[in-house]
Amino acid sequence: MKLAVIEGDGIGREVVPAAVEVLDVFGLEFEKVPLELGYARWERTGTAMSDEDIETIKGCDAVLFGAITTVPDPNYKSVLLTIRKELDLYANVRPVKPLPGIMGVTGRNDFDFVIVRENTEGLYSGIEEIGQDLSWTKRVVTRKGSERIAEYACKLAKQRKNKLTIVHKSNVLKSDKLFLDVCRQVASAHGVEYSDMLVDSMAYSLMMHPERYDVVVTTNLFGDILSDMCAALVGSLGLVPSANIGENYAFFEPVHGSAPDIAGKGISNPLAAILCVKMLLEWMGKVKEASLIDGAISHVLENKLITPDLGGTVSTAEVGHAVAEYVKNALKT
Ligand code: ATP
């Protein structure tokens, strides 16, 4: 198994090493391929990512990614969007689950759902024209794109509570009617219980009644917005991981960005990146190993081995060591 390790910029350089320390404890057969991409690379060389880097990434099986600071160049093509497109990582998956002792903005911890966002089309089609007086972006919804994201969401729902919520805005955006119809058809074919919600009502409902949801499937932009909003339910951006999944490839990244305001201070929370390792292990079918990470995270939270964003005083590296140590001991027993 070949794993590209892309720390990127800012706190990516702190949280990814902590996550890799945890991964290493499992002693699994990984060939790690470190790649320097992003803003710092662009400053040094004028390129954030080359065609050769894309080929190197394609030669791996998965990516563990930190964060990249957006390059201030009008011609800059997002590294993340490019990788998602090149590798056809069509499903963006974000579990939204409370962690022991941590309360988010709503002060509740009775929810456990997953947002499955279509990751390759919608308003992120990249088909646009920017003019002085008129700018437009084409919103693309295809049957194939809708079918495969609905299939992914339904398979996930079947492993969970068999409940799917289809989020759309088909009353205004006629392109969403295709998405909605296809999702309904796929859910029926799988025998998954489904309902649908307009995205604006859904935003409100997720804050008021997050316990109602199990698997939520939606288009690209809506999923982007809703999933960031849901980080507030969990409590800190530093606690939410995500995966971008393709046919035979997966790319794992924390939901947070490069956080230049705290970068270099060693105080960033590495738990989102460590939860990315958990998602990587699950994707590899290493479910038992993945569950040890849950145990380790409960242990550090209960013992207040936490970074300042959660009210603690412990450093990024120390949290990483504590999680790794717990897993090491758990593997011995
Ligand atoms: P970027 O431009 O890369 O998106 P950003 O600062 O705009 O960076 P985030 O990196 O998502 O966006 O950070 C938003 C806020 O959340 C910042 O104040 C940051 O310090 C905080 N934050 C994000 N990630 C973490 C983390 N892992 N630990 C602690 N605080 C975090």
Side-chain angles (χ1 to χ4, degrees):
M1 164 104 185
K2 251 176 148 177
L3 179 71
V5 179
I6 304 170
E7 294 179 0
D9 300 304
I11 63 169
R13 296 177 175 199
E14 301 165 23
V15 297
V16 171
V20 167
E21 181 181 349
V22 175
L23 179 62
D24 283 346
V25 171
F26 290 97
L28 299 168
E29 292 266 317
F30 275 110
E31 183 191 336
K32 283 181 270 170
V33 182
L35 278 170
E36 188 207 354
L37 305 182
Y39 183 79
R41 154 92 175 266
W42 173 80
E43 270 195 321
R44 210 168 41 76
T45 67
T47 320
M49 176 173 68
S50 66
D51 291 346
E52 205 186 331
D53 295 321
I54 288 277
E55 289 312 310
T56 306
I57 293 169
K58 281 184 177 166
C60 296
D61 301 289
V63 178
L64 182 62
F65 182 89
I68 280 182
T69 304
T70 303
V71 171
D73 171 353
N75 297 320
Y76 168 67
K77 260 178 75 187
S78 160
V79 164
L80 260 180
L81 286 188
T82 308
I83 295 176
R84 282 178 188 162
K85 275 236 158 84
E86 286 284 334
L87 294 164
D88 200 20
L89 303 173
Y90 65 90
N92 185 287
V93 182
R94 294 193 186 181
V96 184
K97 194 176 168 179
L99 289 168
I102 308 286
M103 288 289 179
V105 285
T106 57
R108 52 193 300 171
N109 61 359
D110 56 349
F111 54 88
D112 177 1
F113 61 93
V114 182
I115 298 183
V116 176
R117 156 187 165 199
E118 201 293 318
N119 217 16
T120 59
E121 45 188 45
L123 258 176
Y124 294 180
S125 65
I127 307 168
E128 52 193 8
E129 251 181 55
I130 309 304
Q132 283 287 60
D133 301 310
L134 173 68
S135 291
W136 55 260
T137 302
K138 196 173 205 169
R139 185 171 195 271
V140 176
V141 178
T142 65
R143 179 171 295 280
K144 179 180 166 239
S146 305
E147 256 167 18
R148 65 181 181 171
I149 198 69
E151 284 285 339
Y152 185 93
C154 286
K155 282 183 189 143
L156 184 63
K158 289 185 88 124
Q159 293 161 23
R160 295 173 52 96
K161 295 187 194 138
N162 204 41
K163 248 174 81 180
L164 181 73
T165 308
I166 307 159
V167 176
H168 61 97
K169 187 72 183 172
S170 68
N171 57 339
V172 177
L173 300 172
K174 300 302 174 208
S175 50
D176 252 7
K177 183 81 174 58
L178 177 59
F179 180 76
L180 176 60
D181 287 347
V182 169
C183 287
R184 283 175 168 157
Q185 284 158 15
V186 173
S188 288
H190 280 279
V192 171
E193 185 193 319
Y194 65 87
S195 58
D196 68 276
M197 289 279 278
L198 293 173
V199 64
D200 39 355
S201 312
M202 186 65 176
Y204 183 74
S205 185
L206 279 169
M207 286 294 121
M208 298 300 287
H209 309 290
E211 81 289 354
R212 288 185 182 166
Y213 301 101
D214 181 30
V215 176
V216 175
V217 66
T218 190
T219 51
N220 210 337
L221 177 64
F222 298 158
D224 194 5
I225 297 169
L226 290 183
S227 46
D228 265 28
M229 185 190 76
C230 288
L233 283 173
V234 180
S236 165
L237 266 176
L239 296 174
V240 193
S242 78
N244 298 275
I245 309 276
E247 276 318 322
N248 295 304
Y249 206 101
F251 176 107
F252 301 89
E253 55 168 327
V255 165
H256 63 73
S258 62
D261 55 333
I262 55 166
K265 297 183 178 162
I267 56 168
S268 56
N269 190 339
L271 293 182
I274 292 171
L275 283 165
C276 287
V277 169
K278 178 190 163 193
M279 292 185 87
L280 164 68
L281 292 169
E282 282 170 342
W283 177 74
M284 292 167 67
K286 306 267 177 206
V287 180
K288 254 169 111 184
E289 287 86 346
S291 71
L292 293 183
I293 293 187
D294 277 335
I297 288 182
S298 298
H299 165 78
V300 296
L301 293 175
E302 278 155 15
N303 290 284
K304 300 281 174 236
L305 298 167
I306 48 179
T307 43
D309 57 310
L310 299 179
T313 53
V314 176
S315 73
T316 312
E318 283 165 336
V319 174
H321 297 329
V323 172
E325 202 54 34
Y326 180 97
V327 171
K328 206 183 284 173
N329 288 330
L331 284 168
K332 279 189 209 149
T333 54

